[in-house]
Amino acid sequence: MTAAPFASHAEPVRPEWIDYNGHMNVAYYVVAFDNATDAFFDALGFDAAWRARTGRSFFAVEAHVRYLGELRLGQRLAVETRLLAADAKRLHYFHTMRAEGARPVAATFECLSVHVDMATRRAAPFDAADLARAQAAAAAHALLPPPEGVGRAVSMRASRT
């Protein structure tokens, strides 16, 4: 994995994803981000064969979505992913979604996933090779400036009226 963000996923905005406002419904941004997560995990070697061989998987435990622009029917969305950190049991990653070929960010998704033993359905440490692979990817991505919006919390500032 290089220091560049991983271009993890692209797909069309589907008709069933369009809401009464004529743009992609908020729920489907999360669906598309989940599809991008699957592609990213596959690229890291945490694919279906790995899950079957190890009995391990990932559960999302915390996420934050920012909706910054509209996606509409007929557009293709593209997601870039950065692995921000990896420790013994967790991956912290950040997705950025745009309309394919466009510069403005449509949405971001920051997530913390835990590595799980599917037999116990509890958090479990990575084996050494898996941890090394994840940490190498995180180190490569750490060479880039932090993505805009990482670590943000939901809040409302007091109005100045």
Side-chain angles (χ1 to χ4, degrees):
M1 176 143 318
T2 66
F6 174 71
S8 64
H9 184 69
E11 67 181 300
V13 175
R14 299 175 184 167
E16 61 271 22
W17 292 1
I18 302 302
D19 66 15
Y20 50 80
N21 292 316
H23 60 207
M24 196 159 103
N25 179 273
V26 296
Y28 294 103
Y29 283 82
V30 176
V31 168
F33 282 131
D34 191 51
N35 293 339
T37 298
D38 290 345
F40 183 58
F41 285 172
D42 287 354
L44 287 174
F46 303 128
D47 56 13
W50 172 85
R51 290 188 301 275
R53 184 180 70 256
T54 64
R56 303 295 172 95
S57 190
F58 293 93
F59 289 178
V61 293
E62 186 172 348
H64 182 192
V65 182
R66 294 185 316 142
Y67 303 96
L68 304 169
E70 294 180 294
L71 289 172
R72 310 217 29 194
L73 185 62
Q75 293 183 299
R76 281 184 60 81
L77 61 87
V79 179
E80 290 183 345
T81 304
R82 299 262 301 272
L83 183 57
L84 302 174
D87 69 13
K89 297 180 183 180
R90 300 173 300 176
L91 298 177
H92 178 200
Y93 48 97
F94 191 91
H95 294 304
T96 302
M97 182 185 296
R98 294 179 169 83
E100 202 168 53
R103 289 297 311 143
V105 174
T108 65
F109 180 85
E110 184 174 0
C111 191
L112 182 67
S113 286
V114 65
H115 179 251
V116 173
D117 180 327
M118 293 303 290
T120 63
R121 301 188 77 79
R122 299 278 184 229
F126 286 105
D127 71 23
D130 291 339
L131 179 59
R133 191 169 61 253
Q135 287 182 328
H141 286 182
L143 300 173
L144 299 166
E148 196 282 317
V150 71
R152 300 248 330 240
V154 176
S155 66
M156 280 179 61
R157 293 183 180 174
S159 65
R160 296 179 182 193
T161 56

